[in-house]
Amino acid sequence: ACHWLSEDLLHLELASPWRLPLPRFAAGQFLTLLAQPDGERPLRRCYSLAAWQARPWHYQLCIKREPDGRMSNWLAERVRPGLRLQVLAPAGHFHLQDGHGPELLLIAGGVGITPMRAMLQAWAQRPLGRRVTLIYAGRDRAALAYHQEFAELAAQRADFRYCPALSRDPQAPPDWQGRLDAARLAAVLTSDCDVFLCAGQTLLEHSLALLRDAGVAESRLHWEAFGAQTLGAGSGTFALHWQGEALQYTGQPSLLHALHEQGVELPADCWGGHCGSCRVRCSGEVEWRQAPAGMLPAGQILACCCIPRAAVQLAPVD
């Protein structure tokens, strides 16, 4: 099944063609979709699961159609009931666990709401005494996917607060108006609060800075960006040496983008510094455009997080 939530948000439901139950997953994990457009190089993109079930018979995705998004445009043009897609099993480290809490703060921007919706559904089935607040940032109410669903949940449950943060909606209730700022966070933060963030890079970095300034411990911050494509273009032209191949970086958002454009299909599941699939050995100066989710050995980088600042030599990790 598929339908458009707005002019650029596509909601998909995927099921087994053999009508079998699907692999279980943790709320917050993603799927990797594979496609092979005619006459083009293969596509491989990750999308957070937008709903959670203890025993899933279908997967839900909400995909934003980006002007330059090859996979999102391919899906928008081809998707129909009965279309078969090749999908890897759910994966990812950004997910809700029983040990998180007792207060949970979820912060989402745009299509970053998808893992939060799955987390809310998992929490609603097993609240474990935890209270949850969702801050959902967008331009206006029309930009908030699943808005009515969250409003209804907040009306039904005293242990859930729904707090839209609308930057350009003068018709919205006064407490919904305005961007995410320190005052809005201070109203909901507690000392034992676990915070989950999923947003584009600008909102993500802004929110992390506010939370750190507010004294939230790093161990309680859990975050995921949409992917390296949210970083925008890099700058400069530099030589890339990959296993004897002479390639070039010419201003792509990351080294991973540059490699993929030149036919080097380096594994990549999240494109946002989390899964570690694109880890490579690197000799040469690079700029980290986003922080990786974990520590890396000396001499290794995540290609999705970096751009070069000089000629670099890259090699697979043994």
Side-chain angles (χ1 to χ4, degrees):
C2 58
H3 64 274
W4 290 89
L5 298 177
S6 67
E7 63 181 16
D8 62 354
L9 287 179
L10 177 63
H11 179 92
L12 298 181
E13 291 192 10
L14 309 179
S16 165
W18 303 282
R19 299 187 179 184
L20 297 173
L22 299 170
R24 298 185 187 192
F25 62 94
Q29 290 190 305
F30 58 79
L31 286 183
T32 303
L33 271 57
L34 308 177
Q36 177 62 74
D38 293 340
E40 299 184 37
R41 62 185 173 85
L43 300 178
R44 178 185 177 115
R45 295 291 183 271
C46 301
Y47 297 103
S48 295
L49 286 145
W52 182 85
Q53 296 173 308
R55 293 173 173 263
W57 286 85
H58 65 271
Y59 292 146
Q60 293 185 30
L61 302 176
C62 181
I63 297 172
K64 183 177 181 182
R65 185 173 189 174
E66 300 284 359
D68 299 320
R70 295 179 63 223
M71 178 68 89
S72 64
N73 280 286
W74 184 84
L75 286 168
E77 292 163 4
R78 293 282 305 274
V79 73
R80 65 187 185 281
L83 176 69
R84 290 201 177 192
L85 295 172
Q86 186 177 0
V87 179
L88 302 185
H93 305 294
F94 179 74
H95 57 82
L96 188 62
Q97 300 178 25
D98 287 350
H100 292 136
E103 297 277 343
L104 301 176
L105 172 59
L106 314 180
I107 301 175
V111 77
I113 194 62
T114 52
M116 306 309 183
R117 182 173 182 251
M119 289 180 188
L120 280 172
Q121 292 178 358
W123 164 80
Q125 291 196 29
R126 298 182 67 241
L128 302 177
R130 297 176 297 192
R131 296 177 56 85
V132 180
T133 299
L134 170 63
I135 296 178
Y136 192 1
R139 297 183 310 276
D140 50 34
R141 272 174 286 195
L144 304 183
Y146 312 111
H147 166 74
Q148 191 59 35
E149 184 179 310
F150 302 137
E152 291 173 2
L153 183 63
Q156 295 164 4
R157 300 191 61 135
D159 50 359
F160 173 60
R161 282 185 294 182
Y162 177 42
C163 307
L166 305 177
S167 59
R168 284 179 281 178
D169 192 342
Q171 304 304 316
D175 58 340
W176 290 9
Q177 294 183 29
R179 299 179 184 276
L180 180 59
D181 57 17
R184 194 181 294 266
L185 280 176
V188 298
L189 276 176
T190 62
S191 59
D192 53 1
C193 187
D194 268 291
V195 185
F196 288 80
L197 303 96
C198 187
Q201 199 69 25
T202 300
L203 178 59
L204 181 74
E205 291 180 353
H206 172 70
S207 301
L208 286 171
L210 291 175
L211 290 160
R212 287 165 177 149
D213 287 346
V216 179
E218 290 293 327
S219 61
R220 291 191 177 274
L221 294 177
H222 319 278
W223 52 268
E224 185 168 71
F226 293 162
Q229 64 270 25
T230 63
L231 298 175
S235 60
T237 298
F238 304 103
L240 304 179
H241 301 281
W242 172 262
Q243 293 187 298
E245 281 191 83
L247 308 176
Q248 268 199 327
Y249 170 85
T250 55
Q252 292 88 348
S254 72
L255 277 166
L256 183 58
H257 282 81
L259 291 170
H260 273 230
E261 286 180 11
Q262 296 170 87
V264 179
E265 291 293 328
L266 200 65
D269 285 335
C270 74
W271 292 70
H274 289 269
C275 71
S277 299
C278 66
R279 185 164 54 103
V280 294
R281 289 185 288 136
C282 177
S283 175
E285 183 183 355
V286 297
E287 173 188 332
W288 287 84
R289 303 198 75 202
Q290 57 183 349
M295 298 291 290
L296 292 167
Q300 296 185 14
I301 65 168
L302 295 183
C304 69
C305 294
C306 297
I307 60 174
R309 281 292 167 232
V312 296
Q313 296 212 11
L314 304 173
V317 175
D318 297 332

